[in-house]
Amino acid sequence: MKIGVARGDITPADAVWLAGYAHRDHRSEGVYHPLRAGAIYIEGHADAGLIISADVIGFDLPTAAALKLQIAAATGLLPRQIVLTATHTHGAPLFWPMAMPGETEIGYAEFLRHRLVETAISARITATAGSIRSSRAFSEFGVNRRLPDGKGGVEFAPNPDGAIDRDLDTLWFADSDGTILASLTIYGCHATSLGDYMVGPDYPGYLCTVLERSTDAPAFFAAGCGGDVRPWYTRDSAKEFGRPSLDALEAAGEQIASDVLASCEQANEVDSDGLQLACDFHQLPYANLPTREELISEAEGGSDPNFRKWARAMVAMSDCGALPSSCPQEIQILRFNSAFLILFLGGEILSEIGLHLKQQLQPAHAVTAGYSNGLIGYVPSENAYALGGYEVDGSYRYFLRPAPFTKDVERLIVDKTMAMVSAFS
């Protein structure tokens, strides 16, 4: 097969509004670590694909669709062959509309688009003969953040007994001589170590820095299915996550990198003769759509400014007709062969869904990545609905969704994925 790699700096040149936290009230105050993007092009006998990784919170549906078309036009690939992934850092610019403080950074959005297209072109034109290996480690980093409160609800607190996918997967791309060209690590944990006004990639940035220093090759990261998982730095406190110093954050990245490098010694060759990509959309239904009267009331008198912003956007949408009853979700599958595949899912997918998909796909070696292509909001597992909480019914407004998703979305995702896998030749 052929492999091409490229990377680029996507750090904003000026102060910007940052995405990910609803409490921020001004633009960024500096940069603690550069933001980067990378592209990995792979070409087999019958198909080819391009994986884009970026230190951003994610891409909304319109941005993802437009960007795929632009990259397709620039590279000669089809949109279905282009994968957009993110580290989901909360220290990157707000470059698409959300019900968050501040303004959408239109200038940065254009800069990012140009840089990603440029990186994609470079990856394809530099492709050379190569091979792929895969390794899997077990990581102790991260903890489930949905703690049952004993009253039928859930607290935003560490839950060591909660669901979490601790597989730390890495793809190693090498040339025909076996020299590493790049690596791509996938792990399901929020990049929310810091909560300040500094630009940076969180723990994935430090993880990749160590891997690059050790392998002398670009290292990239994509967030897995960990919508209910976050870093846990104060393990002596049962109720707090804590905010690390930059030194502690760097140490966390170094520890994860150490686990990745140790797993590389037992990496397995990936048979890529059956390389294929499949991409499709299906609908995730909404539950309990608000009335126009409720939206107007929230827009005019709501106490939360972010929710007022959401309500105004929904009123404007309803002016054009009824609110949508469902949301399109993109599912993309990179199949190397019948025994090894990667699933790229749109949304902040809760851990149980990713684990469910892996169980269904056994004995195949499956890797799951969330935050891919269109970031449509949190996608809860069926078991999460009994306790409610932020991921189930408290977060949809920030993503400009009209209502929470219905309880059966996990089943819909699993059924759609399995049908796509069955359709491979």
Side-chain angles (χ1 to χ4, degrees), residues 27-87:
R27 285 186 165 89
S28 58
E29 299 175 348
V31 178
Y32 69 84
H33 191 292
L35 302 180
R36 298 187 318 159
I40 303 173
Y41 173 74
I42 52 176
E43 180 183 322
H45 297 301
D47 209 347
L50 181 73
I51 304 173
I52 301 286
S53 169
D55 286 327
V56 296
I57 198 165
F59 305 88
D60 67 331
L61 282 167
T63 301
L67 184 55
K68 283 193 176 191
L69 286 172
Q70 290 169 327
I71 293 174
T75 60
L77 294 169
L78 297 172
R80 70 162 183 85
Q81 296 173 302
I82 300 164
V83 186
L84 302 176
T85 67
T87 61

Side-chain angles (χ1 to χ4, degrees), residues 111-403:
F111 160 75
L112 178 65
R113 179 202 64 79
H114 176 79
R115 186 53 54 87
L116 293 182
V117 171
E118 180 181 70
T119 305
I121 294 171
S122 180
R124 182 160 196 193
I125 65 176
T126 58
T128 185
S131 61
I132 303 174
R133 293 182 298 151
S134 73
S135 64
R136 173 170 285 175
F138 178 88
S139 177
E140 294 285 355
F141 188 71
V143 66
N144 189 287
R145 68 186 193 185
R146 290 173 51 83
L147 180 68
D149 61 8
K151 304 174 184 178
V154 65
E155 295 180 65
F156 196 80
N159 179 14
D161 298 322
I164 182 172
D165 185 350
R166 296 203 175 276
D167 288 341
L168 180 62
D169 287 291
T170 301
L171 293 179
W172 305 92
F173 303 88
D175 64 16
S176 56
D177 294 326
T179 301
I180 294 176
L181 297 173
S183 63
L184 174 65
T185 298
I186 300 174
Y187 184 64
C189 179
H190 266 78
T192 53
S193 302
L194 305 178
D196 54 16
Y197 292 85
M198 300 295 288
V199 170
D202 210 88
Y203 75 87
Y206 290 108
L207 158 66
C208 291
T209 296
V210 175
L211 292 181
E212 291 182 348
R213 190 166 60 235
S214 301
T215 64
D216 197 28
F220 308 122
F221 181 90
C225 293
D228 49 353
V229 175
R230 70 170 288 171
W232 190 16
Y233 292 93
T234 53
R235 298 186 178 228
D236 56 337
S237 174
K239 292 290 185 179
E240 297 180 4
F241 294 103
R243 298 292 189 189
S245 65
L246 286 179
D247 287 343
L249 178 58
E250 183 175 7
E254 290 175 346
Q255 179 57 59
I256 302 171
S258 176
D259 294 334
V260 170
L261 290 168
S263 73
C264 182
E265 298 177 3
Q266 286 79 43
N268 298 310
E269 195 81 16
V270 176
D271 176 5
S272 303
D273 286 343
L275 176 68
Q276 290 179 275
L277 276 100
C279 181
D280 204 355
F281 285 86
H282 69 141
Q283 296 287 348
L284 300 185
Y286 295 126
N288 305 318
L289 287 171
T291 66
R292 183 175 174 81
E293 291 72 23
E294 291 171 335
L295 291 172
I296 292 174
S297 176
E298 180 71 31
E300 295 178 349
S303 59
D304 188 315
N306 299 308
F307 289 2
R308 291 199 302 271
K309 181 183 292 188
W310 162 79
R312 290 194 296 270
M314 294 302 105
V315 170
M317 187 182 296
S318 67
D319 285 341
C320 301
L323 293 173
S325 60
S326 61
C327 176
Q329 183 201 33
E330 186 172 2
I331 298 178
Q332 201 167 16
I333 303 175
L334 172 56
R335 177 187 183 269
F336 293 97
N337 56 67
S338 61
F340 185 77
L341 45 82
I342 306 177
L343 311 179
F344 298 97
L345 307 172
E348 302 208 39
I349 311 296
L350 265 62
S351 302
E352 285 183 314
I353 297 178
L355 292 169
H356 188 176
L357 287 166
K358 286 186 174 182
Q359 189 275 328
Q360 286 292 108
L361 289 166
Q362 289 180 351
H365 183 101
V367 180
T368 58
Y371 308 93
S372 303
N373 302 313
L375 181 54
I376 58 175
Y378 281 89
V379 182
S381 55
E382 183 175 352
N383 289 335
Y385 281 81
L387 298 179
Y390 177 75
E391 297 85 358
V392 175
D393 51 29
S395 60
Y396 65 93
R397 296 179 182 88
Y398 296 114
F399 296 89
L400 298 178
R401 305 269 80 86

